[in-house]
Amino acid sequence: MQVPLIQLQCGQWLYGPTGGKSQLTHHQASIAMTGVCDRLPETCTGLILCVGKVGKDSAAAKYAAATETNQFSIENGKPYAELWMGTHPSLPSKDVETQRSLLDLVQDNKALMSTQISDKFGEKLPFLFKVLSIRKALSIQAHPNKKLAEQLHAKDPKNYPDDNHKPEMTIAVTPFDGLCGFRPLKEISHFLSTVPALRNLVGGESAKEFEASISGRETSTSAEDAQRNKKALQSAFSALMTKDKSTIAAAAKELVSSAKQEGEEFAGGGGSSNGGKELADLVVRLNSQFEGDVGLFVLFFLNYVKLEIGEAMFLKADDIHAYLSGDIIECMASSDNVVRAGFTPKFQDIPTLTSMLTYSYAPISEQKMNPVDYPYVTLNRTAYSSSSSAILYDPPIDEFSVVKTELHGEKAKATFEAIEGPSVIICTSGSGTISVGPKTKNVKAGYVFFVGATAECVLESDSETFTTFKAFCELSGKETANGAS
């Protein structure tokens, strides 16, 4: 039987000036260059919106170019946004040596994933592993739950290409910022009273109804109050999102003018989470990317979060978010379903978005994760004495967990116990080796490997710092150390 250690190579999607996708040569992982257009190819005027980091500034591009067998080379002036790893049918990874797709391999041999996981998740990896390199804001979006995904896919397979849900986890590789989940209600109420352009756009009556409905109940733990608050939030948010584009554009000019003039005093000096100057700078920055967009107002409803390297957050299905900048490791259920409503010229589905959201509201601290030491790894003496680590990020879902391993110094070694499920491992810095049974492979930044179920895996460093991220699925004894709500 083949040793279950496979170096992965994937296809590249190119999003060209027309916004159409074309598959290029296969290489280490997929790069999604999000240069998109909201017109059909035959009528496109050349509008390009490229959100990825440019050239070698993109971690996704650098990792993709690492495999020696690739035909891919980085072009200095071109943006590169995403690197995909997995079995998603849109772009399944391949075995570098045999060129067979990973999807074919795991379907032919259930032991690679374990019979239990193959049966539960339809003979494909239950997760999609990514690297994102974000230079400009990604769309304001949410991902549907399983039931809604099935309905959307049946109704509109072009815009909703599969029937799966898509909870996701984000781990910062470089400093990151984004909009994630609804703010505490007191903050939203504060902005409605201190940002005239926002209040006028939502509508005076809608703003008054929101304020009256939540008054005295903003932090209530009563289920009845929480439901009432969510309905009030949905009403106010929907009032904003359903305004016509010309009205939004006019209000945006007023908003941007205020942000430039008021500085620290903008938005009443800011809320408890963000200062006035920080919000003013954010409005100006996002307007330079998406002039007059409704997203300039959505940011007053959503938490503005910054993650430092190693920090993470988990987003349930139906949670609203928009990633703004940074390099991140992202893991999600294996789906490509996105419901968009701002910061994009792509297809937007505002009625679906405003009706599907959970309208949960909380400070961002409740979405940030609390990683813990991974218990099923043994560090050798060199690793232990150099403060090497293996940290577990474990969201409250079955499809995936992620371990970040940092080995410091040559000969530092981490031995991972066999698990009843598959793993995908990417190296993000340094170099070393990976071993499964008698098979050992060299590893450097950008290399990606699949490790089959029930296989002990050993990582060993030959550099100052050897960093890897391992996405895996194991149904039995799943950890619950995530700390996210």
Side-chain angles (χ1 to χ4, degrees):
M1 179 180 175
Q2 180 187 28
V3 176
L5 175 65
I6 303 168
Q7 186 172 359
L8 297 182
Q9 182 178 20
C10 303
Q12 179 180 1
W13 286 125
L14 169 64
Y15 290 75
T18 66
K21 283 198 288 190
S22 58
Q23 190 171 7
L24 303 184
T25 57
H26 281 79
H27 60 79
Q28 162 69 27
S30 80
I31 297 295
M33 294 179 296
T34 314
V36 298
C37 179
D38 59 352
R39 300 190 180 188
L40 295 174
E42 59 268 22
T43 61
C44 179
T45 59
L47 170 66
I48 304 176
L49 179 62
C50 299
V51 302
K53 290 189 175 181
V54 175
K56 293 182 180 179
D57 288 339
S58 168
K62 288 189 291 186
Y63 298 156
T67 302
E68 289 85 350
T69 58
N70 290 343
Q71 300 295 318
F72 172 71
S73 61
I74 300 171
E75 297 181 35
N76 289 333
K78 188 170 287 185
Y80 302 91
E82 295 190 22
L83 178 151
W84 286 26
M85 301 158 278
T87 60
H88 192 281
S90 293
L91 199 62
S93 303
K94 289 188 175 183
D95 181 340
V96 166
E97 295 180 0
T98 68
Q99 290 297 293
R100 289 192 67 191
S101 78
L102 182 59
L103 182 60
D104 287 343
L105 292 171
V106 299
Q107 288 178 341
D108 284 353
N109 183 1
K110 286 188 176 183
L112 286 173
M113 293 208 304
S114 83
T115 300
Q116 181 187 25
I117 288 175
S118 290
D119 290 345
K120 181 177 177 65
F121 296 108
E123 299 184 340
K124 58 182 181 290
L125 273 181
F127 58 82
L128 178 59
F129 206 22
K130 293 184 181 183
V131 176
L132 267 63
S133 294
I134 308 158
R135 178 176 57 94
K136 297 173 65 174
L138 301 182
S139 59
I140 294 167
Q141 60 184 256
H143 306 298
N145 60 46
K146 180 63 174 173
K147 182 178 179 180
L148 179 58
E150 291 171 351
Q151 295 170 351
L152 292 173
H153 178 63
K155 179 182 177 181
D156 185 2
K158 177 183 177 182
N159 290 303
Y160 301 105
D162 58 69
D163 63 359
N164 201 15
H165 68 164
K166 193 180 175 184
E168 64 187 33
M169 179 171 65
T170 295
I171 306 170
V173 177
T174 63
F176 162 89
D177 68 340
L179 304 173
C180 302
F182 286 101
R183 293 177 181 270
L185 298 180
K186 283 186 177 179
E187 289 190 29
I188 298 172
S189 182
H190 169 78
F191 293 134
L192 283 171
S193 66
T194 59
V195 183
L198 173 65
R199 190 178 188 89
N200 292 337
L201 195 58
V202 170
E205 287 304 313
S206 293
K208 286 180 182 178
E209 289 174 8
F210 172 77
E211 292 160 345
S213 183
I214 69 167
S215 180
R217 303 180 183 86
E218 297 93 334
T219 58
S220 172
T221 57
S222 159
E224 182 179 350
D225 286 343
Q227 191 60 33
R228 177 173 174 167
N229 287 344
K230 288 180 180 181
K231 287 183 178 179
L233 179 56
Q234 180 176 10
S235 179
F237 186 70
S238 298
L240 168 66
M241 297 302 294
T242 53
K243 291 296 188 295
D244 64 81
K245 289 187 177 181
S246 60
T247 302
I248 293 169
K253 289 183 179 180
E254 178 187 347
L255 180 71
V256 173
S257 177
S258 296
K260 290 179 177 179
Q261 293 175 19
E262 295 174 13
E264 292 285 358
E265 300 304 315
F266 180 67
S272 57
S273 301
N274 311 113
K277 183 64 163 58
E278 183 178 42
L279 290 171
D281 290 346
L282 183 61
V283 166
V284 173
R285 169 184 149 201
L286 293 177
N287 188 65
S288 71
Q289 299 174 9
F290 296 91
E291 185 175 359
D293 194 272
V294 70
L296 303 178
F297 297 94
V298 171
L299 69 87
F300 295 104
F301 280 82
L302 305 187
N303 288 299
Y304 175 53
V305 58
K306 294 181 178 180
L307 298 181
E308 297 302 323
I309 296 171
E311 288 191 303
M313 61 185 178
F314 175 67
L315 294 163
K316 301 184 292 291
D318 301 333
D319 275 354
I320 189 170
H321 58 282
Y323 297 161
L324 303 181
S325 70
D327 295 292
I328 59 175
I329 293 287
E330 190 177 39
C331 198
M332 63 200 67
S334 187
S335 172
D336 198 24
N337 284 324
V338 183
V339 183
R340 302 179 183 87
F343 289 156
T344 180
K346 289 185 179 181
F347 172 73
Q348 299 186 37
D349 191 348
I350 291 172
T352 297
L353 184 90
T354 54
S355 64
M356 70 182 276
L357 298 175
T358 62
Y359 290 98
S360 297
Y361 49 90
I364 194 60
S365 58
E366 294 190 19
Q367 282 186 307
K368 283 189 178 182
M369 302 185 72
N370 297 316
V372 298
D373 290 337
Y374 182 61
Y376 305 115
V377 64
T378 301
L379 302 179
N380 69 357
R381 181 175 297 181
T382 302
Y384 185 79
S385 62
S386 63
S387 299
S388 297
S389 62
I391 303 298
L392 173 68
Y393 301 85
D394 193 34
I397 56 171
D398 288 339
E399 282 87 346
F400 61 84
S401 303
V402 173
V403 175
K404 177 186 179 182
T405 305
E406 284 191 337
L407 297 175
H408 301 300
E410 294 185 10
K411 304 299 183 183
K413 182 187 296 187
T415 301
F416 289 86
E417 296 177 18
I419 61 172
E420 293 292 331
S423 304
V424 173
I425 300 173
I426 180 171
C427 173
T428 57
S429 69
S431 60
T433 59
I434 183 171
S435 301
V436 172
K439 193 172 186 178
T440 297
K441 292 278 192 178
N442 292 325
V443 185
K444 66 179 183 179
Y447 280 22
V448 182
F449 294 87
F450 173 86
V451 178
T454 71
E456 181 183 87
C457 175
V458 180
L459 295 172
E460 183 171 350
S461 173
D462 63 14
S463 58
E464 185 175 342
T465 299
F466 179 39
T467 305
T468 62
F469 288 86
K470 167 183 159 177
F472 67 96
C473 178
E474 184 179 34
L475 297 179
S476 59
K478 180 168 168 58
E479 302 296 326
T480 55
N482 58 86
S485 61

